[in-house]
Amino acid sequence: MTTSDAARLLGVATSTVQLWMESGAIASWKTPGGHRRALMSSVLRMTRPDQSAAAPGPWSGAAPAAEFTMLAEPPYPVPEREQARLSALAALQLVPSAAEERFDRIVRLASLVTDCPIALITLLTAQRQWFKARVGLKAGETPRAWAFCTHAILQREPFIVEDASQDARFRDNPLVTGAPKIRFYAGYPLVGVNDLALGTLCVIDREPRRLKSRELQGLEDLARMAMRELSTPPRG
């Protein structure tokens, strides 16, 4: 099937199908002329989310479609191509999915490299900040409107808040005024296909602080590793 054929079958934009093909959510190949093609069976799989959610595997359930539809008036800042970003995240089928050692290892290393008690791999849907991996934090998600990471994905450099209690953007945030009492935050955007940031690798401390240059470099290197892992589907 061509991308246009697949888009008509799925009822989405051709650009969305292209994102799904490029991310691997729809198995595809390129013709000698450089055009993408996909098997009809791969495309039809995208129309049956209930079956994939019910099938045996390491994760259970599936995020509702509203999770990946941009809000008409989001109560938080959004990137310029927010809907394309949400579509790319949906295509990965990682929200929700079970914990995986390949991601747990990265957050453990991020915590050690920066000497921060909390490290997270976050994925941002329209409604929530969901943690694919975490250390030092019991909660598995927060509302998107509370997420420091929603600011981090607006740029391609590390997003750093040295003391959230003194920052007008965050001092009244429930994650600052209440548990886990965030003071320091540093996050690297996890940038995938077509320069779309799906979430972050971030570290958090309960005390104001700064990172050394070597700590920032280590966090960046681990963020690149995390993005490579995110480009592959959940593993059993």
Side-chain angles (χ1 to χ4, degrees), residues 130-168:
W130 184 78
F131 306 141
K132 177 57 185 172
R134 64 189 188 276
V135 293
L137 195 66
K138 290 184 178 180
E141 62 184 66
T142 75
R144 171 80 182 269
W146 296 4
F148 283 54
C149 297
T150 207
H151 296 262
I153 65 171
L154 299 177
Q155 60 188 50
R156 294 298 174 264
E157 300 78 29
F159 180 73
I160 298 174
V161 179
E162 295 181 353
D163 186 352
S165 68
Q166 301 301 312
D167 191 310

PDB file of all heavy atoms in Angstrom, residues 130-168:
ATOM      1  N   TRP A 130       3.938  10.676  31.580  1.00  0.00           N
ATOM      2  CA  TRP A 130       4.001   9.265  31.988  1.00  0.00           C
ATOM      3  C   TRP A 130       5.457   8.827  32.029  1.00  0.00           C
ATOM      4  O   TRP A 130       6.251   9.174  31.152  1.00  0.00           O
ATOM      5  CB  TRP A 130       3.206   8.411  30.999  1.00  0.00           C
ATOM      6  CG  TRP A 130       3.143   6.965  31.379  1.00  0.00           C
ATOM      7  CD1 TRP A 130       2.337   6.396  32.328  1.00  0.00           C
ATOM      8  CD2 TRP A 130       3.914   5.905  30.805  1.00  0.00           C
ATOM      9  NE1 TRP A 130       2.572   5.051  32.376  1.00  0.00           N
ATOM     10  CE2 TRP A 130       3.532   4.719  31.472  1.00  0.00           C
ATOM     11  CE3 TRP A 130       4.885   5.848  29.807  1.00  0.00           C
ATOM     12  CZ2 TRP A 130       4.077   3.483  31.155  1.00  0.00           C
ATOM     13  CZ3 TRP A 130       5.448   4.621  29.494  1.00  0.00           C
ATOM     14  CH2 TRP A 130       5.038   3.456  30.164  1.00  0.00           C
ATOM     15  N   PHE A 131       5.811   8.077  33.082  1.00  0.00           N
ATOM     16  CA  PHE A 131       7.198   7.699  33.291  1.00  0.00           C
ATOM     17  C   PHE A 131       7.453   6.290  32.762  1.00  0.00           C
ATOM     18  O   PHE A 131       6.949   5.308  33.305  1.00  0.00           O
ATOM     19  CB  PHE A 131       7.556   7.755  34.773  1.00  0.00           C
ATOM     20  CG  PHE A 131       7.250   9.083  35.424  1.00  0.00           C
ATOM     21  CD1 PHE A 131       6.740   9.150  36.710  1.00  0.00           C
ATOM     22  CD2 PHE A 131       7.462  10.265  34.731  1.00  0.00           C
ATOM     23  CE1 PHE A 131       6.466  10.369  37.306  1.00  0.00           C
ATOM     24  CE2 PHE A 131       7.194  11.502  35.323  1.00  0.00           C
ATOM     25  CZ  PHE A 131       6.689  11.538  36.615  1.00  0.00           C
ATOM     26  N   LYS A 132       8.236   6.212  31.698  1.00  0.00           N
ATOM     27  CA  LYS A 132       8.640   4.916  31.165  1.00  0.00           C
ATOM     28  C   LYS A 132       9.629   4.241  32.104  1.00  0.00           C
ATOM     29  O   LYS A 132       9.682   3.011  32.197  1.00  0.00           O
ATOM     30  CB  LYS A 132       9.235   5.088  29.765  1.00  0.00           C
ATOM     31  CG  LYS A 132       9.761   3.797  29.144  1.00  0.00           C
ATOM     32  CD  LYS A 132       8.684   2.712  29.061  1.00  0.00           C
ATOM     33  CE  LYS A 132       9.256   1.405  28.555  1.00  0.00           C
ATOM     34  NZ  LYS A 132       8.292   0.291  28.648  1.00  0.00           N
ATOM     35  N   ALA A 133      10.439   5.035  32.789  1.00  0.00           N
ATOM     36  CA  ALA A 133      11.386   4.500  33.769  1.00  0.00           C
ATOM     37  C   ALA A 133      11.592   5.555  34.846  1.00  0.00           C
ATOM     38  O   ALA A 133      11.506   6.759  34.573  1.00  0.00           O
ATOM     39  CB  ALA A 133      12.710   4.130  33.110  1.00  0.00           C
ATOM     40  N   ARG A 134      11.850   5.100  36.067  1.00  0.00           N
ATOM     41  CA  ARG A 134      12.037   6.056  37.153  1.00  0.00           C
ATOM     42  C   ARG A 134      12.837   5.436  38.282  1.00  0.00           C
ATOM     43  O   ARG A 134      12.769   4.227  38.516  1.00  0.00           O
ATOM     44  CB  ARG A 134      10.682   6.541  37.682  1.00  0.00           C
ATOM     45  CG  ARG A 134       9.818   5.463  38.331  1.00  0.00           C
ATOM     46  CD  ARG A 134       8.419   5.999  38.610  1.00  0.00           C
ATOM     47  NE  ARG A 134       7.600   5.098  39.393  1.00  0.00           N
ATOM     48  CZ  ARG A 134       6.900   4.085  38.911  1.00  0.00           C
ATOM     49  NH1 ARG A 134       6.923   3.844  37.591  1.00  0.00           N
ATOM     50  NH2 ARG A 134       6.181   3.311  39.694  1.00  0.00           N
ATOM     51  N   VAL A 135      13.591   6.266  38.970  1.00  0.00           N
ATOM     52  CA  VAL A 135      14.220   5.899  40.235  1.00  0.00           C
ATOM     53  C   VAL A 135      13.996   7.061  41.192  1.00  0.00           C
ATOM     54  O   VAL A 135      13.993   8.227  40.787  1.00  0.00           O
ATOM     55  CB  VAL A 135      15.736   5.620  40.101  1.00  0.00           C
ATOM     56  CG1 VAL A 135      15.999   4.388  39.277  1.00  0.00           C
ATOM     57  CG2 VAL A 135      16.487   6.816  39.526  1.00  0.00           C
ATOM     58  N   GLY A 136      13.757   6.736  42.455  1.00  0.00           N
ATOM     59  CA  GLY A 136      13.590   7.752  43.478  1.00  0.00           C
ATOM     60  C   GLY A 136      12.224   8.371  43.556  1.00  0.00           C
ATOM     61  O   GLY A 136      12.017   9.340  44.294  1.00  0.00           O
ATOM     62  N   LEU A 137      11.255   7.840  42.822  1.00  0.00           N
ATOM     63  CA  LEU A 137       9.906   8.400  42.802  1.00  0.00           C
ATOM     64  C   LEU A 137       8.903   7.254  42.696  1.00  0.00           C
ATOM     65  O   LEU A 137       9.055   6.372  41.847  1.00  0.00           O
ATOM     66  CB  LEU A 137       9.749   9.350  41.616  1.00  0.00           C
ATOM     67  CG  LEU A 137       8.546  10.294  41.609  1.00  0.00           C
ATOM     68  CD1 LEU A 137       8.650  11.300  42.753  1.00  0.00           C
ATOM     69  CD2 LEU A 137       8.462  11.036  40.278  1.00  0.00           C
ATOM     70  N   LYS A 138       7.873   7.267  43.549  1.00  0.00           N
ATOM     71  CA  LYS A 138       6.868   6.203  43.535  1.00  0.00           C
ATOM     72  C   LYS A 138       5.819   6.417  42.449  1.00  0.00           C
ATOM     73  O   LYS A 138       5.351   5.466  41.831  1.00  0.00           O
ATOM     74  CB  LYS A 138       6.195   6.104  44.903  1.00  0.00           C
ATOM     75  CG  LYS A 138       7.089   5.565  46.006  1.00  0.00           C
ATOM     76  CD  LYS A 138       6.315   5.406  47.305  1.00  0.00           C
ATOM     77  CE  LYS A 138       7.196   4.818  48.404  1.00  0.00           C
ATOM     78  NZ  LYS A 138       6.454   4.668  49.679  1.00  0.00           N
ATOM     79  N   ALA A 139       5.424   7.670  42.224  1.00  0.00           N
ATOM     80  CA  ALA A 139       4.364   7.962  41.248  1.00  0.00           C
ATOM     81  C   ALA A 139       4.777   7.533  39.852  1.00  0.00           C
ATOM     82  O   ALA A 139       5.941   7.656  39.457  1.00  0.00           O
ATOM     83  CB  ALA A 139       4.038   9.453  41.261  1.00  0.00           C
ATOM     84  N   GLY A 140       3.794   7.022  39.084  1.00  0.00           N
ATOM     85  CA  GLY A 140       4.065   6.583  37.720  1.00  0.00           C
ATOM     86  C   GLY A 140       3.739   7.617  36.669  1.00  0.00           C
ATOM     87  O   GLY A 140       4.062   7.443  35.494  1.00  0.00           O
ATOM     88  N   GLU A 141       3.113   8.735  37.080  1.00  0.00           N
ATOM     89  CA  GLU A 141       2.722   9.768  36.131  1.00  0.00           C
ATOM     90  C   GLU A 141       2.316  11.020  36.890  1.00  0.00           C
ATOM     91  O   GLU A 141       2.102  10.983  38.112  1.00  0.00           O
ATOM     92  CB  GLU A 141       1.567   9.301  35.245  1.00  0.00           C
ATOM     93  CG  GLU A 141       0.297   8.992  36.032  1.00  0.00           C
ATOM     94  CD  GLU A 141      -0.802   8.433  35.152  1.00  0.00           C
ATOM     95  OE1 GLU A 141      -0.628   7.323  34.623  1.00  0.00           O
ATOM     96  OE2 GLU A 141      -1.830   9.131  34.993  1.00  0.00           O
ATOM     97  N   THR A 142       2.192  12.130  36.179  1.00  0.00           N
ATOM     98  CA  THR A 142       1.626  13.361  36.720  1.00  0.00           C
ATOM     99  C   THR A 142       0.762  13.987  35.625  1.00  0.00           C
ATOM    100  O   THR A 142       0.902  13.650  34.453  1.00  0.00           O
ATOM    101  CB  THR A 142       2.715  14.387  37.125  1.00  0.00           C
ATOM    102  OG1 THR A 142       3.255  14.986  35.942  1.00  0.00           O
ATOM    103  CG2 THR A 142       3.810  13.753  37.954  1.00  0.00           C
ATOM    104  N   PRO A 143      -0.108  14.925  35.982  1.00  0.00           N
ATOM    105  CA  PRO A 143      -0.799  15.680  34.929  1.00  0.00           C
ATOM    106  C   PRO A 143       0.207  16.412  34.045  1.00  0.00           C
ATOM    107  O   PRO A 143       1.248  16.878  34.527  1.00  0.00           O
ATOM    108  CB  PRO A 143      -1.668  16.666  35.718  1.00  0.00           C
ATOM    109  CG  PRO A 143      -1.859  16.027  37.057  1.00  0.00           C
ATOM    110  CD  PRO A 143      -0.578  15.285  37.339  1.00  0.00           C
ATOM    111  N   ARG A 144      -0.092  16.530  32.775  1.00  0.00           N
ATOM    112  CA  ARG A 144       0.807  17.228  31.849  1.00  0.00           C
ATOM    113  C   ARG A 144       1.032  18.668  32.298  1.00  0.00           C
ATOM    114  O   ARG A 144       2.142  19.205  32.167  1.00  0.00           O
ATOM    115  CB  ARG A 144       0.199  17.180  30.436  1.00  0.00           C
ATOM    116  CG  ARG A 144       0.883  18.046  29.373  1.00  0.00           C
ATOM    117  CD  ARG A 144       2.122  17.428  28.807  1.00  0.00           C
ATOM    118  NE  ARG A 144       2.759  18.323  27.827  1.00  0.00           N
ATOM    119  CZ  ARG A 144       2.517  18.318  26.527  1.00  0.00           C
ATOM    120  NH1 ARG A 144       1.652  17.443  26.006  1.00  0.00           N
ATOM    121  NH2 ARG A 144       3.148  19.144  25.716  1.00  0.00           N
ATOM    122  N   ALA A 145      -0.007  19.299  32.838  1.00  0.00           N
ATOM    123  CA  ALA A 145       0.105  20.705  33.223  1.00  0.00           C
ATOM    124  C   ALA A 145       1.115  20.933  34.338  1.00  0.00           C
ATOM    125  O   ALA A 145       1.594  22.056  34.515  1.00  0.00           O
ATOM    126  CB  ALA A 145      -1.260  21.246  33.641  1.00  0.00           C
ATOM    127  N   TRP A 146       1.442  19.888  35.106  1.00  0.00           N
ATOM    128  CA  TRP A 146       2.417  20.029  36.192  1.00  0.00           C
ATOM    129  C   TRP A 146       3.844  19.783  35.719  1.00  0.00           C
ATOM    130  O   TRP A 146       4.793  20.054  36.454  1.00  0.00           O
ATOM    131  CB  TRP A 146       2.122  19.029  37.303  1.00  0.00           C
ATOM    132  CG  TRP A 146       0.818  19.207  37.997  1.00  0.00           C
ATOM    133  CD1 TRP A 146      -0.171  20.104  37.720  1.00  0.00           C
ATOM    134  CD2 TRP A 146       0.344  18.422  39.103  1.00  0.00           C
ATOM    135  NE1 TRP A 146      -1.231  19.935  38.571  1.00  0.00           N
ATOM    136  CE2 TRP A 146      -0.943  18.913  39.425  1.00  0.00           C
ATOM    137  CE3 TRP A 146       0.881  17.363  39.826  1.00  0.00           C
ATOM    138  CZ2 TRP A 146      -1.690  18.373  40.478  1.00  0.00           C
ATOM    139  CZ3 TRP A 146       0.133  16.826  40.866  1.00  0.00           C
ATOM    140  CH2 TRP A 146      -1.139  17.330  41.189  1.00  0.00           C
ATOM    141  N   ALA A 147       4.020  19.262  34.525  1.00  0.00           N
ATOM    142  CA  ALA A 147       5.308  18.714  34.101  1.00  0.00           C
ATOM    143  C   ALA A 147       6.339  19.790  33.757  1.00  0.00           C
ATOM    144  O   ALA A 147       6.121  20.600  32.856  1.00  0.00           O
ATOM    145  CB  ALA A 147       5.100  17.793  32.903  1.00  0.00           C
ATOM    146  N   PHE A 148       7.470  19.780  34.448  1.00  0.00           N
ATOM    147  CA  PHE A 148       8.611  20.592  34.055  1.00  0.00           C
ATOM    148  C   PHE A 148       9.035  20.194  32.634  1.00  0.00           C
ATOM    149  O   PHE A 148       9.499  21.022  31.860  1.00  0.00           O
ATOM    150  CB  PHE A 148       9.784  20.361  35.012  1.00  0.00           C
ATOM    151  CG  PHE A 148       9.659  21.052  36.347  1.00  0.00           C
ATOM    152  CD1 PHE A 148       8.542  20.887  37.154  1.00  0.00           C
ATOM    153  CD2 PHE A 148      10.692  21.856  36.810  1.00  0.00           C
ATOM    154  CE1 PHE A 148       8.444  21.499  38.389  1.00  0.00           C
ATOM    155  CE2 PHE A 148      10.610  22.484  38.044  1.00  0.00           C
ATOM    156  CZ  PHE A 148       9.475  22.310  38.841  1.00  0.00           C
ATOM    157  N   CYS A 149       8.872  18.908  32.330  1.00  0.00           N
ATOM    158  CA  CYS A 149       9.315  18.384  31.034  1.00  0.00           C
ATOM    159  C   CYS A 149       8.549  19.001  29.874  1.00  0.00           C
ATOM    160  O   CYS A 149       9.051  19.015  28.741  1.00  0.00           O
ATOM    161  CB  CYS A 149       9.190  16.862  31.008  1.00  0.00           C
ATOM    162  SG  CYS A 149      10.245  16.026  32.221  1.00  0.00           S
ATOM    163  N   THR A 150       7.348  19.495  30.124  1.00  0.00           N
ATOM    164  CA  THR A 150       6.594  20.104  29.030  1.00  0.00           C
ATOM    165  C   THR A 150       7.283  21.382  28.562  1.00  0.00           C
ATOM    166  O   THR A 150       7.129  21.804  27.410  1.00  0.00           O
ATOM    167  CB  THR A 150       5.133  20.364  29.453  1.00  0.00           C
ATOM    168  OG1 THR A 150       4.290  20.338  28.293  1.00  0.00           O
ATOM    169  CG2 THR A 150       4.939  21.683  30.155  1.00  0.00           C
ATOM    170  N   HIS A 151       8.065  21.999  29.440  1.00  0.00           N
ATOM    171  CA  HIS A 151       8.878  23.153  29.056  1.00  0.00           C
ATOM    172  C   HIS A 151      10.155  22.690  28.357  1.00  0.00           C
ATOM    173  O   HIS A 151      10.638  23.339  27.433  1.00  0.00           O
ATOM    174  CB  HIS A 151       9.229  23.987  30.289  1.00  0.00           C
ATOM    175  CG  HIS A 151       8.046  24.604  30.959  1.00  0.00           C
ATOM    176  ND1 HIS A 151       7.651  25.911  30.742  1.00  0.00           N
ATOM    177  CD2 HIS A 151       7.140  24.084  31.838  1.00  0.00           C
ATOM    178  CE1 HIS A 151       6.567  26.180  31.452  1.00  0.00           C
ATOM    179  NE2 HIS A 151       6.239  25.086  32.135  1.00  0.00           N
ATOM    180  N   ALA A 152      10.693  21.560  28.810  1.00  0.00           N
ATOM    181  CA  ALA A 152      11.955  21.052  28.251  1.00  0.00           C
ATOM    182  C   ALA A 152      11.828  20.709  26.769  1.00  0.00           C
ATOM    183  O   ALA A 152      12.772  20.888  26.007  1.00  0.00           O
ATOM    184  CB  ALA A 152      12.433  19.841  29.041  1.00  0.00           C
ATOM    185  N   ILE A 153      10.655  20.195  26.350  1.00  0.00           N
ATOM    186  CA  ILE A 153      10.522  19.771  24.955  1.00  0.00           C
ATOM    187  C   ILE A 153      10.320  20.941  23.996  1.00  0.00           C
ATOM    188  O   ILE A 153      10.240  20.747  22.784  1.00  0.00           O
ATOM    189  CB  ILE A 153       9.386  18.745  24.776  1.00  0.00           C
ATOM    190  CG1 ILE A 153       8.020  19.367  25.090  1.00  0.00           C
ATOM    191  CG2 ILE A 153       9.643  17.499  25.618  1.00  0.00           C
ATOM    192  CD1 ILE A 153       6.840  18.476  24.717  1.00  0.00           C
ATOM    193  N   LEU A 154      10.261  22.152  24.520  1.00  0.00           N
ATOM    194  CA  LEU A 154      10.141  23.334  23.663  1.00  0.00           C
ATOM    195  C   LEU A 154      11.473  23.723  23.052  1.00  0.00           C
ATOM    196  O   LEU A 154      11.528  24.580  22.168  1.00  0.00           O
ATOM    197  CB  LEU A 154       9.587  24.518  24.461  1.00  0.00           C
ATOM    198  CG  LEU A 154       8.194  24.356  25.075  1.00  0.00           C
ATOM    199  CD1 LEU A 154       7.845  25.589  25.899  1.00  0.00           C
ATOM    200  CD2 LEU A 154       7.143  24.103  24.006  1.00  0.00           C
ATOM    201  N   GLN A 155      12.563  23.135  23.537  1.00  0.00           N
ATOM    202  CA  GLN A 155      13.892  23.503  23.052  1.00  0.00           C
ATOM    203  C   GLN A 155      14.722  22.255  22.812  1.00  0.00           C
ATOM    204  O   GLN A 155      14.280  21.140  23.093  1.00  0.00           O
ATOM    205  CB  GLN A 155      14.578  24.408  24.083  1.00  0.00           C
ATOM    206  CG  GLN A 155      14.746  23.760  25.447  1.00  0.00           C
ATOM    207  CD  GLN A 155      15.243  24.753  26.493  1.00  0.00           C
ATOM    208  OE1 GLN A 155      14.693  25.853  26.649  1.00  0.00           O
ATOM    209  NE2 GLN A 155      16.309  24.393  27.199  1.00  0.00           N
ATOM    210  N   ARG A 156      15.889  22.430  22.260  1.00  0.00           N
ATOM    211  CA  ARG A 156      16.767  21.301  21.959  1.00  0.00           C
ATOM    212  C   ARG A 156      18.008  21.303  22.843  1.00  0.00           C
ATOM    213  O   ARG A 156      18.804  20.392  22.785  1.00  0.00           O
ATOM    214  CB  ARG A 156      17.165  21.314  20.474  1.00  0.00           C
ATOM    215  CG  ARG A 156      15.965  21.075  19.549  1.00  0.00           C
ATOM    216  CD  ARG A 156      15.356  19.717  19.794  1.00  0.00           C
ATOM    217  NE  ARG A 156      14.139  19.473  19.043  1.00  0.00           N
ATOM    218  CZ  ARG A 156      12.907  19.657  19.532  1.00  0.00           C
ATOM    219  NH1 ARG A 156      12.743  20.113  20.775  1.00  0.00           N
ATOM    220  NH2 ARG A 156      11.852  19.402  18.795  1.00  0.00           N
ATOM    221  N   GLU A 157      18.145  22.304  23.693  1.00  0.00           N
ATOM    222  CA  GLU A 157      19.211  22.351  24.674  1.00  0.00           C
ATOM    223  C   GLU A 157      18.671  21.818  26.005  1.00  0.00           C
ATOM    224  O   GLU A 157      17.464  21.694  26.183  1.00  0.00           O
ATOM    225  CB  GLU A 157      19.715  23.795  24.861  1.00  0.00           C
ATOM    226  CG  GLU A 157      20.266  24.432  23.610  1.00  0.00           C
ATOM    227  CD  GLU A 157      19.173  24.900  22.668  1.00  0.00           C
ATOM    228  OE1 GLU A 157      18.081  25.242  23.164  1.00  0.00           O
ATOM    229  OE2 GLU A 157      19.399  24.897  21.445  1.00  0.00           O
ATOM    230  N   PRO A 158      19.565  21.521  26.950  1.00  0.00           N
ATOM    231  CA  PRO A 158      19.069  21.083  28.256  1.00  0.00           C
ATOM    232  C   PRO A 158      18.248  22.189  28.912  1.00  0.00           C
ATOM    233  O   PRO A 158      18.594  23.376  28.816  1.00  0.00           O
ATOM    234  CB  PRO A 158      20.353  20.794  29.054  1.00  0.00           C
ATOM    235  CG  PRO A 158      21.426  21.565  28.359  1.00  0.00           C
ATOM    236  CD  PRO A 158      21.052  21.564  26.912  1.00  0.00           C
ATOM    237  N   PHE A 159      17.160  21.808  29.548  1.00  0.00           N
ATOM    238  CA  PHE A 159      16.313  22.758  30.267  1.00  0.00           C
ATOM    239  C   PHE A 159      16.629  22.602  31.755  1.00  0.00           C
ATOM    240  O   PHE A 159      16.484  21.508  32.312  1.00  0.00           O
ATOM    241  CB  PHE A 159      14.838  22.466  30.005  1.00  0.00           C
ATOM    242  CG  PHE A 159      13.892  23.400  30.720  1.00  0.00           C
ATOM    243  CD1 PHE A 159      13.745  24.709  30.290  1.00  0.00           C
ATOM    244  CD2 PHE A 159      13.162  22.966  31.823  1.00  0.00           C
ATOM    245  CE1 PHE A 159      12.876  25.572  30.943  1.00  0.00           C
ATOM    246  CE2 PHE A 159      12.292  23.824  32.481  1.00  0.00           C
ATOM    247  CZ  PHE A 159      12.147  25.138  32.039  1.00  0.00           C
ATOM    248  N   ILE A 160      17.077  23.682  32.379  1.00  0.00           N
ATOM    249  CA  ILE A 160      17.569  23.594  33.744  1.00  0.00           C
ATOM    250  C   ILE A 160      16.885  24.642  34.626  1.00  0.00           C
ATOM    251  O   ILE A 160      16.775  25.813  34.250  1.00  0.00           O
ATOM    252  CB  ILE A 160      19.101  23.799  33.788  1.00  0.00           C
ATOM    253  CG1 ILE A 160      19.791  22.691  32.981  1.00  0.00           C
ATOM    254  CG2 ILE A 160      19.613  23.799  35.236  1.00  0.00           C
ATOM    255  CD1 ILE A 160      21.279  22.878  32.826  1.00  0.00           C
ATOM    256  N   VAL A 161      16.412  24.186  35.770  1.00  0.00           N
ATOM    257  CA  VAL A 161      15.849  25.072  36.792  1.00  0.00           C
ATOM    258  C   VAL A 161      16.654  24.830  38.058  1.00  0.00           C
ATOM    259  O   VAL A 161      16.595  23.750  38.646  1.00  0.00           O
ATOM    260  CB  VAL A 161      14.353  24.763  37.036  1.00  0.00           C
ATOM    261  CG1 VAL A 161      13.796  25.679  38.131  1.00  0.00           C
ATOM    262  CG2 VAL A 161      13.546  24.901  35.755  1.00  0.00           C
ATOM    263  N   GLU A 162      17.416  25.820  38.477  1.00  0.00           N
ATOM    264  CA  GLU A 162      18.309  25.626  39.618  1.00  0.00           C
ATOM    265  C   GLU A 162      17.586  25.681  40.952  1.00  0.00           C
ATOM    266  O   GLU A 162      17.986  25.009  41.908  1.00  0.00           O
ATOM    267  CB  GLU A 162      19.440  26.659  39.568  1.00  0.00           C
ATOM    268  CG  GLU A 162      20.359  26.462  38.358  1.00  0.00           C
ATOM    269  CD  GLU A 162      21.490  27.461  38.319  1.00  0.00           C
ATOM    270  OE1 GLU A 162      21.494  28.394  39.163  1.00  0.00           O
ATOM    271  OE2 GLU A 162      22.376  27.311  37.455  1.00  0.00           O
ATOM    272  N   ASP A 163      16.530  26.487  41.042  1.00  0.00           N
ATOM    273  CA  ASP A 163      15.738  26.557  42.274  1.00  0.00           C
ATOM    274  C   ASP A 163      14.295  26.873  41.907  1.00  0.00           C
ATOM    275  O   ASP A 163      13.943  28.032  41.674  1.00  0.00           O
ATOM    276  CB  ASP A 163      16.296  27.613  43.227  1.00  0.00           C
ATOM    277  CG  ASP A 163      15.590  27.612  44.589  1.00  0.00           C
ATOM    278  OD1 ASP A 163      14.569  26.903  44.736  1.00  0.00           O
ATOM    279  OD2 ASP A 163      16.060  28.311  45.498  1.00  0.00           O
ATOM    280  N   ALA A 164      13.478  25.849  41.847  1.00  0.00           N
ATOM    281  CA  ALA A 164      12.090  26.013  41.406  1.00  0.00           C
ATOM    282  C   ALA A 164      11.284  26.899  42.343  1.00  0.00           C
ATOM    283  O   ALA A 164      10.336  27.554  41.906  1.00  0.00           O
ATOM    284  CB  ALA A 164      11.426  24.637  41.279  1.00  0.00           C
ATOM    285  N   SER A 165      11.650  26.941  43.615  1.00  0.00           N
ATOM    286  CA  SER A 165      10.891  27.757  44.569  1.00  0.00           C
ATOM    287  C   SER A 165      11.068  29.249  44.307  1.00  0.00           C
ATOM    288  O   SER A 165      10.272  30.065  44.786  1.00  0.00           O
ATOM    289  CB  SER A 165      11.322  27.429  46.000  1.00  0.00           C
ATOM    290  OG  SER A 165      12.647  27.859  46.252  1.00  0.00           O
ATOM    291  N   GLN A 166      12.101  29.599  43.510  1.00  0.00           N
ATOM    292  CA  GLN A 166      12.353  30.995  43.192  1.00  0.00           C
ATOM    293  C   GLN A 166      12.011  31.329  41.742  1.00  0.00           C
ATOM    294  O   GLN A 166      12.264  32.436  41.289  1.00  0.00           O
ATOM    295  CB  GLN A 166      13.832  31.322  43.453  1.00  0.00           C
ATOM    296  CG  GLN A 166      14.280  31.087  44.881  1.00  0.00           C
ATOM    297  CD  GLN A 166      13.486  31.894  45.888  1.00  0.00           C
ATOM    298  OE1 GLN A 166      13.290  33.096  45.715  1.00  0.00           O
ATOM    299  NE2 GLN A 166      13.007  31.239  46.935  1.00  0.00           N
ATOM    300  N   ASP A 167      11.454  30.370  41.026  1.00  0.00           N
ATOM    301  CA  ASP A 167      11.127  30.536  39.614  1.00  0.00           C
ATOM    302  C   ASP A 167       9.626  30.771  39.475  1.00  0.00           C
ATOM    303  O   ASP A 167       8.815  29.930  39.895  1.00  0.00           O
ATOM    304  CB  ASP A 167      11.546  29.280  38.835  1.00  0.00           C
ATOM    305  CG  ASP A 167      11.496  29.470  37.337  1.00  0.00           C
ATOM    306  OD1 ASP A 167      10.460  29.942  36.827  1.00  0.00           O
ATOM    307  OD2 ASP A 167      12.476  29.112  36.655  1.00  0.00           O
ATOM    308  N   ALA A 168       9.245  31.906  38.899  1.00  0.00           N
ATOM    309  CA  ALA A 168       7.826  32.266  38.798  1.00  0.00           C
ATOM    310  C   ALA A 168       7.010  31.237  38.037  1.00  0.00           C
ATOM    311  O   ALA A 168       5.805  31.089  38.271  1.00  0.00           O
ATOM    312  CB  ALA A 168       7.695  33.634  38.126  1.00  0.00           C
TER     313      ALA A 168
END
